[in-house]
Amino acid sequence: MTPLLSLLLLLGSTSARTVFSALSVNGVDQGHGVGVRVPISNAAITDLSSASMACNTGFVQPVSQTVIPVSAGSNVTAQFHHTSAGFIGPDPADPIDATNKGPVIAYLAAIPSATQSDVTGKRSFITLPNLNRRLNWFKIGQSGLNPTTHQWGSDLLFINKGNTTFTIPSCLSSGDYLLRVEYIGLEFATTYPGAQFYMSCAQLSIAASGEKLVAPATVSIPGAYHATDPGIVTPIVGISSYIVPGPAVFTC
Ligand SMILES: *[C@@H]1O[C@H](CO)[C@@H](O)[C@H](O)[C@H]1NC(C)=O
Ligand SMILES: *[C@@H]1O[C@H](CO)[C@@H](O)[C@H](O)[C@H]1NC(C)=O
């Protein structure tokens, strides 16, 4: 193999390019693009301060108006594939290129209406400045680098053909929420900007039992990650542990 061809193959394999485009609830597939804001592009976001860090941008139109009903305590499975079209046949880079490494992380945020386009958190019909606040996100699960198996969240995503499952905490208040599921590709993360962020948001209506309500500690997105975080700037070769960026996982 010529050095140039080797380089081209290396470059070709380094961009993760994946899209979360469908959700299953307790194993029941809701359908491609149903209740999920699917970005047209499978390109990464790399600017931590970008408003697109919340729920991506440039969506397949029309954006689904479905709000997926979910009982607190349910298992939700985000389905990632190589492009916004979902699974369209054999593709060695579906759901991601197997050489890509990084964590898979899920967040929730309560929102007045799960279908509102504004993800700053304000009600679309109220414009008072003091209500123009960001959504309050909390982390419900993460899959980083397993120190025992040496598998990354990305490896499990590949093995599970793009499916990654998280449990909706049982102690939340009922209401509309956005579920943000993210894959961070770390191939270029030895400096910032370098880490590659791929995420979509699903539109949920969570029904809680009404018992043991707990208010999770929350973060803003953008704002949860910093250019100095050890999980944002990191090598992937030769490491045996990895600190997933963002807050601790919320538990009831
Ligand atoms: C992934 O989820 C889809 C939709 O629920 C399902 O049809 C498929 O069998 C799952 N694949 C694997 C490998 O679990
Ligand atoms: C969710 O998944 C966990 C782990 O596989 C399982 O123990 C639990 O019963 C599931 N919950 C539901 C509601 O299916």
Side-chain angles (χ1 to χ4, degrees):
M1 193 181 291
T2 67
L4 178 60
L5 183 55
S6 304
L7 179 65
L8 289 175
L9 287 175
L10 182 67
L11 290 173
S13 68
T14 47
S15 195
R17 300 212 173 244
T18 190
V19 179
F20 157 33
S21 62
L23 192 77
S24 307
V25 179
N26 292 331
V28 179
D29 191 0
Q30 304 297 298
H32 179 251
V34 177
V36 183
R37 304 174 182 204
V38 182
I40 295 167
S41 171
N42 64 0
I45 296 165
T46 56
D47 177 359
L48 290 177
S49 66
S50 168
S52 305
M53 279 290 289
C55 286
N56 220 310
T57 189
F59 303 114
V60 174
Q61 297 294 322
V63 175
S64 175
Q65 293 301 299
T66 298
V67 179
I68 301 169
V70 175
S71 300
S74 297
N75 294 329
V76 290
T77 303
Q79 301 171 39
F80 281 82
H81 288 291
H82 189 188
T83 73
S84 60
F87 182 74
I88 51 171
D91 173 354
D94 184 85
I96 54 171
D97 190 299
T99 62
N100 294 141
K101 304 299 174 191
V104 179
I105 311 172
Y107 292 85
L108 282 173
I111 188 166
S113 168
T115 56
Q116 69 184 55
S117 56
D118 188 336
V119 293
T120 61
K122 69 173 188 269
R123 287 179 188 273
S124 53
F125 53 89
I126 297 177
T127 54
L128 295 176
N130 63 349
L131 289 176
N132 187 7
R133 60 181 187 269
R134 295 186 189 284
L135 294 190
N136 297 315
W137 297 95
F138 53 98
K139 193 187 265 180
I140 62 165
Q142 62 186 20
S143 176
L145 175 60
N146 184 315
T148 309
T149 63
H150 309 294
Q151 284 177 315
W152 286 92
S154 53
D155 295 323
L156 299 177
L157 196 64
F158 191 85
I159 290 165
N160 293 315
K161 303 198 181 309
N163 294 353
T164 180
T165 300
F166 300 92
T167 301
I168 302 293
S170 58
C171 58
L172 303 178
S173 335
S174 295
D176 279 13
Y177 287 78
L178 292 179
L179 168 70
R180 175 185 183 275
V181 186
E182 167 182 65
Y183 166 62
I184 309 178
L186 297 174
E187 291 75 42
F188 297 110
T190 50
T191 56
Y192 176 82
Q196 300 179 323
F197 299 85
Y198 301 87
M199 82 296 292
S200 304
C201 290
Q203 303 163 173
L204 306 185
S205 172
I206 296 179
S209 65
E211 299 162 26
K212 199 193 168 199
L213 298 183
V214 178
T218 58
V219 294
S220 294
I221 300 176
Y225 301 156
H226 307 95
T228 52
D229 290 350
I232 298 294
V233 177
T234 178
I236 51 172
V237 176
I239 63 170
S240 55
S241 68
Y242 169 76
I243 300 170
V244 178
V249 174
F250 170 69
T251 52
C252 288

